[in-house]
Amino acid sequence: MRIGQGFDVHAFESGGRLVLGGVLVPHSHSLKAHSDGDVLLHALCDALLGAAGLGDIGQHFPDTDETYRHADSRTLLRSVGEKLQARGFTLVNADMTLIAQSPRLAPYIAAMGETIAADLDAPVECINVKATTTEHLGFTGREEGIAALAVVLIDRQSRA
Ligand code: MG
C-alpha cells in the first residue's frame, strides 16, 4: 500500500465558470488558471501521482503546453487514473477537503464524489469530499481564492 497527498490553490477572478470536483458551481467568480482551475481535481491528481511515485501534475501536464489551455481537469484526472492503472495500482480510498469561504459548497459535494468516482472507475464509497471555511481568516477567508487538500491510499492488489 502507498499513500499520497496533494495540495492546490487558485485565486478568484470575476465572472467565468467555477468548476470544482468536475461540477459546475454557480458563483460570481471563477478560478484563475491555465486550465479550468479545478483546484480539487488538481490536488487529487497530485495525491495520486505522489502515491504512485510519479512526480506531480506540473510534470505531466505543463502549463507552458498550449494543449492544456482551458483543459477540462476531468481529462487530466482520467489520464492520471490510467497511468496508475497501467502500473497495476488500485485506488483504496481518496479523502479531500475544499477550503473556501464562498460559495456554499454543501449542495454540490455528492455530485463531486460521483464525478470523481466515475473518472477513476472506482466505487463511490471510496471517494470522500468535504468542504470547510476558515472562519474568514487568511486568503480563503477573505474570499481571494480556494484551496484544496487530498490524501489517497492505493495498492497493487485487486480490490476485495
Ligand atoms: Mg492547480
Side-chain angles (χ1 to χ4, degrees):
M1 294 228 191
R2 302 170 63 114
I3 63 169
Q5 56 103 12
F7 174 67
D8 197 26
V9 171
H10 282 274
F12 276 133
E13 63 184 359
S14 281
R17 291 161 40 104
L18 177 62
V19 181
L20 294 170
V23 174
L24 185 64
V25 177
H27 192 46
S28 56
H29 289 65
S30 60
L31 294 173
K32 226 184 279 184
H34 185 74
S35 69
D36 63 4
D38 194 327
V39 69
L40 184 64
L41 296 193
H42 295 176
L44 178 57
C45 284
D46 260 356
L48 290 164
L49 290 168
L54 292 174
D56 66 32
I57 192 172
Q59 288 169 242
H60 292 270
F61 314 105
D63 62 10
T64 50
D65 188 335
E66 285 303 308
T67 314
Y68 305 117
R69 182 171 293 280
H70 308 304
D72 179 346
S73 295
R74 292 186 63 184
T75 307
L76 309 188
L77 178 62
R78 285 193 286 261
S79 168
V80 167
E82 283 160 15
K83 287 177 200 294
L84 266 66
Q85 230 166 31
R87 287 164 178 78
F89 290 117
T90 304
L91 180 67
V92 178
N93 75 303
D95 187 27
M96 290 153 273
T97 305
L98 275 163
I99 305 167
Q101 195 66 48
S102 70
R104 211 176 97 73
L105 297 173
Y108 308 100
I109 293 291
M112 291 178 199
E114 284 162 20
T115 300
I116 291 167
D119 286 344
L120 290 177
D121 196 18
V124 74
E125 308 80 52
C126 296
I127 309 295
N128 195 74
V129 181
K130 314 183 289 303
T132 186
T133 71
T134 52
E135 301 291 344
H136 300 283
L137 296 170
F139 69 88
T140 54
R142 291 188 298 269
E143 301 184 26
E144 293 169 4
I146 295 182
L149 298 160
V151 178
V152 304
L153 186 68
I154 60 175
D155 77 5
R156 263 190 166 134
Q157 286 154 22
S158 56
R159 197 179 280 124

